[in-house]
Each structure stands twice: as C-alpha cells, then as structure tokens.
Amino acid sequence: QNFSENNDGAIILSLVKEFLDTFGLSFTLSVLNPELASYNVQCAWKNRTELIEYLDLSSDLDNGTFWISPTSN
C-alpha cells in the first residue's frame, strides 16, 4: 500500500497501466484495477504526457506511440 502512495510508486503503476493500454491487454488491465482495489491501493495515476515529461522520454504523440509501439521494428 505504501508503495503506491509515493511518486515513484505512482509512476511505476502508471507505466504498467500504460503498457497494458498500449499493447491492448484489456483483460489483464481489467484484472489490475480490482486487484489494486482489493488491497485498498490508492494511486494518483499519471497520464501519458506526465510520464513522458517526468521520465524525459521521447515520443511521437501525433501517431500515438510512446517510446515503443507494437508496430515498431
């Protein structure tokens, strides 16, 4: 529980969520949220733009890619 309450924990959980969203793993994502709720985990989710800025990553938001994409070579 304490893990998600600090900024690093929120970043890590947000990265996992973003990964699942990006690769279309909706079933796994549908398990993540109830799993976190069952442990009473509260997380200040970071959106894609916040993750890119915080981690100083390059992106091409116009075509929806975020560091890597399922179609990258």
Side-chain angles (χ1 to χ4, degrees):
Q1 291 177 5
N2 294 336
F3 174 77
S4 65
E5 293 172 0
N6 66 48
N7 194 50
D8 289 343
I11 293 291
I12 291 170
L13 289 174
S14 296
L15 285 170
V16 169
K17 184 178 180 293
E18 183 64 33
F19 175 85
L20 297 174
D21 281 338
T22 299
F23 287 93
L25 300 171
S26 57
F27 179 75
T28 305
L29 187 57
S30 73
V31 173
L32 175 65
N33 292 325
E35 186 75 19
L36 292 174
S38 73
Y39 289 101
N40 201 26
V41 172
Q42 301 296 319
C43 180
W45 296 108
K46 307 295 184 194
N47 65 38
R48 180 179 288 204
T49 303
E50 291 171 322
L51 289 171
I52 290 168
E53 289 173 6
Y54 181 80
L55 299 172
D56 195 26
L57 300 170
S58 62
S59 70
D60 185 356
L61 292 176
D62 291 335
N63 71 12
T65 59
F66 178 48
W67 333 292
I68 58 171
S69 74
T71 59
S72 66
N73 294 330

